[in-house]
Amino acid sequence: MMAVLGALGWLLLTLLKIVGILLLIVLVLLALALLCPFCADFCWENGVVTIRAGVPGITLPVFRWPAPPPAGPEEPKGFFGKLKAKLRASRAERRRKKAAERAAKEAKKPKKETPPRKKAKLTLNILVTILRGAGRLTKAVFGSLRVTKIRVCLGVRGEDPAEAARAYGRLNAWLYPSLGVIDRFVYLDFEELRILPDFGSAEPTVADRVSFRLSARLLFIVAAAVRVLYEFWREKVLDVFL
C-alpha cells in the first residue's frame, strides 16, 4: 500500500513539475511578445501588395493582393490517398449531422424571456472619462509606432508632357509638408525618397516601389489599455454600454 501511495505521489509531483515548466514557457513567451517589438513589412511593387509580419529578423508572409490563383484540388492517388479522402468526407458528414441535430434541439427549447437590463445614463463625467481614455490610448499607440526602412520611388507619368509636369509639381508641393505633419506624431526613417519625372517616352523608365516597416512595442499599448480600462471601471463607464 505504501509503495502504491509513493508511486502515486511521485507521479503527481512529476505532473506538477511538467505543468509548472509549461506555464513558465508560456509566461516567457508572453514576456517576449510584450518586450520585443512587433513588426510588419509592407511592400507595393508592380501593382502587387505584400505584407509580412513577425518580429525583426523573423517575418512570415500574411497577406498578398492580388492573391495568386488557388491551385485546384488534387485527385487522391493510390490506396491511402483514396482512404484519406473517404475518411475526410465521412468526418465532414458527421459534423454536418451533429450541427443539424444541435440546431434542431435548440429550436425545440423554449426561450426564456429575460427582462431588459437597465443601462446607466451617460453623464458629463462619463463622457469626459471616455474622451480622456481615448486620447491616452491614441497617444500610446502613435507613440509606440516606428515606421522605418521607408523606400519610395515613384514616377510621374502622363500622355501630355505639360500636364505631367504640372502633376509632378503638385505632387512635390503636397508630399513633403504632409510627411512633415505625419513625422510630428509617428517616427519616420527614410532610406529612399524619390519622385522622378517619367514623361516624354513611350515606355515607363521608372519602376514604382513603396516599402516600409511598421513596428510597435506592445508593452506600452497594453499598459495604456489596462490603465484606461481601470479608469472606465472606476468611473462606471462600462455600465453605459454593457
Short mmCIF file of all heavy atoms in Angstrom, two decimals, residues 32 50 60 77 97 125 128 150 153 163 182 187 211 220 242:
data_model
loop_
_atom_site.label_atom_id
_atom_site.label_comp_id
_atom_site.label_asym_id
_atom_site.label_seq_id
_atom_site.Cartn_x
_atom_site.Cartn_y
_atom_site.Cartn_z
N LEU A 32 8.28 37.93 -23.87
CA LEU A 32 8.99 38.25 -25.10
C LEU A 32 8.09 38.96 -26.09
O LEU A 32 8.51 39.90 -26.78
CB LEU A 32 9.57 36.98 -25.73
CG LEU A 32 10.73 36.32 -24.98
CD1 LEU A 32 11.12 35.02 -25.66
CD2 LEU A 32 11.94 37.27 -24.93
N THR A 50 2.24 43.27 -50.74
CA THR A 50 2.67 42.13 -49.93
C THR A 50 2.92 42.60 -48.51
O THR A 50 3.56 43.63 -48.30
CB THR A 50 3.95 41.49 -50.49
OG1 THR A 50 3.75 41.15 -51.87
CG2 THR A 50 4.32 40.23 -49.72
N LEU A 60 6.97 36.49 -41.59
CA LEU A 60 6.29 35.49 -42.41
C LEU A 60 5.23 36.17 -43.27
O LEU A 60 4.59 37.13 -42.82
CB LEU A 60 5.63 34.43 -41.52
CG LEU A 60 6.56 33.66 -40.59
CD1 LEU A 60 5.76 32.74 -39.68
CD2 LEU A 60 7.59 32.85 -41.37
N LYS A 77 -4.41 9.91 -54.91
CA LYS A 77 -3.65 8.91 -55.64
C LYS A 77 -3.38 7.71 -54.74
O LYS A 77 -3.05 7.86 -53.56
CB LYS A 77 -2.32 9.49 -56.13
CG LYS A 77 -2.49 10.65 -57.11
CD LYS A 77 -1.15 11.19 -57.54
CE LYS A 77 -1.30 12.35 -58.51
NZ LYS A 77 0.01 12.91 -58.93
N LYS A 97 -24.16 16.46 -39.68
CA LYS A 97 -25.30 15.88 -38.97
C LYS A 97 -25.38 16.37 -37.53
O LYS A 97 -26.46 16.69 -37.02
CB LYS A 97 -25.19 14.35 -39.00
CG LYS A 97 -25.44 13.74 -40.37
CD LYS A 97 -25.36 12.22 -40.31
CE LYS A 97 -25.64 11.60 -41.68
NZ LYS A 97 -25.56 10.11 -41.65
N ASN A 125 -19.47 63.54 -16.67
CA ASN A 125 -18.25 62.95 -16.11
C ASN A 125 -17.84 61.70 -16.89
O ASN A 125 -16.66 61.48 -17.18
CB ASN A 125 -18.48 62.61 -14.64
CG ASN A 125 -17.22 62.10 -13.96
OD1 ASN A 125 -16.12 62.51 -14.33
ND2 ASN A 125 -17.39 61.22 -13.01
N VAL A 128 -16.41 62.75 -20.29
CA VAL A 128 -15.03 63.25 -20.16
C VAL A 128 -14.06 62.09 -19.94
O VAL A 128 -12.96 62.08 -20.51
CB VAL A 128 -14.97 64.26 -18.99
CG1 VAL A 128 -13.52 64.62 -18.67
CG2 VAL A 128 -15.74 65.53 -19.34
N ILE A 150 11.88 53.07 -44.91
CA ILE A 150 10.94 53.58 -45.90
C ILE A 150 11.69 53.79 -47.22
O ILE A 150 12.69 54.51 -47.26
CB ILE A 150 10.31 54.90 -45.44
CG1 ILE A 150 9.65 54.74 -44.07
CG2 ILE A 150 9.27 55.40 -46.44
CD1 ILE A 150 9.14 56.02 -43.48
N CYS A 153 9.88 55.17 -54.40
CA CYS A 153 10.38 55.54 -55.72
C CYS A 153 9.18 55.53 -56.67
O CYS A 153 8.64 54.47 -56.98
CB CYS A 153 11.46 54.57 -56.20
SG CYS A 153 12.16 55.00 -57.82
N GLU A 163 0.96 68.50 -68.90
CA GLU A 163 0.12 68.09 -67.78
C GLU A 163 0.89 67.22 -66.80
O GLU A 163 0.73 67.33 -65.58
CB GLU A 163 -1.10 67.33 -68.31
CG GLU A 163 -2.05 66.83 -67.24
CD GLU A 163 -2.66 67.96 -66.42
OE1 GLU A 163 -2.81 69.08 -66.96
OE2 GLU A 163 -2.97 67.71 -65.23
N ILE A 182 3.03 64.20 -40.55
CA ILE A 182 2.98 62.84 -40.02
C ILE A 182 4.16 62.58 -39.09
O ILE A 182 4.03 61.90 -38.06
CB ILE A 182 2.97 61.82 -41.19
CG1 ILE A 182 1.70 61.99 -42.02
CG2 ILE A 182 3.06 60.40 -40.67
CD1 ILE A 182 1.66 61.13 -43.26
N TYR A 187 7.22 58.30 -35.66
CA TYR A 187 8.64 58.33 -36.03
C TYR A 187 8.81 57.76 -37.43
O TYR A 187 8.37 56.64 -37.72
CB TYR A 187 9.45 57.52 -35.01
CG TYR A 187 10.91 57.40 -35.36
CD1 TYR A 187 11.80 58.42 -35.05
CD2 TYR A 187 11.40 56.26 -35.99
CE1 TYR A 187 13.14 58.30 -35.36
CE2 TYR A 187 12.73 56.14 -36.31
CZ TYR A 187 13.60 57.17 -35.99
OH TYR A 187 14.92 57.05 -36.32
N SER A 211 7.85 50.70 -50.03
CA SER A 211 8.00 49.67 -49.00
C SER A 211 8.42 50.35 -47.70
O SER A 211 9.11 51.37 -47.71
CB SER A 211 9.05 48.62 -49.41
OG SER A 211 10.32 49.22 -49.55
N PHE A 220 3.81 49.03 -24.20
CA PHE A 220 3.28 50.36 -23.92
C PHE A 220 1.78 50.42 -24.25
O PHE A 220 1.01 51.04 -23.52
CB PHE A 220 4.05 51.40 -24.73
CG PHE A 220 5.52 51.41 -24.44
CD1 PHE A 220 6.43 50.91 -25.34
CD2 PHE A 220 5.99 51.92 -23.24
CE1 PHE A 220 7.79 50.91 -25.08
CE2 PHE A 220 7.35 51.93 -22.95
CZ PHE A 220 8.25 51.42 -23.87
N LEU A 242 -22.74 48.08 -21.41
CA LEU A 242 -23.00 46.67 -21.16
C LEU A 242 -24.41 46.45 -20.63
O LEU A 242 -25.02 47.34 -20.07
CB LEU A 242 -21.97 46.11 -20.15
CG LEU A 242 -20.51 46.17 -20.62
CD1 LEU A 242 -19.61 45.63 -19.53
CD2 LEU A 242 -20.32 45.39 -21.90
#
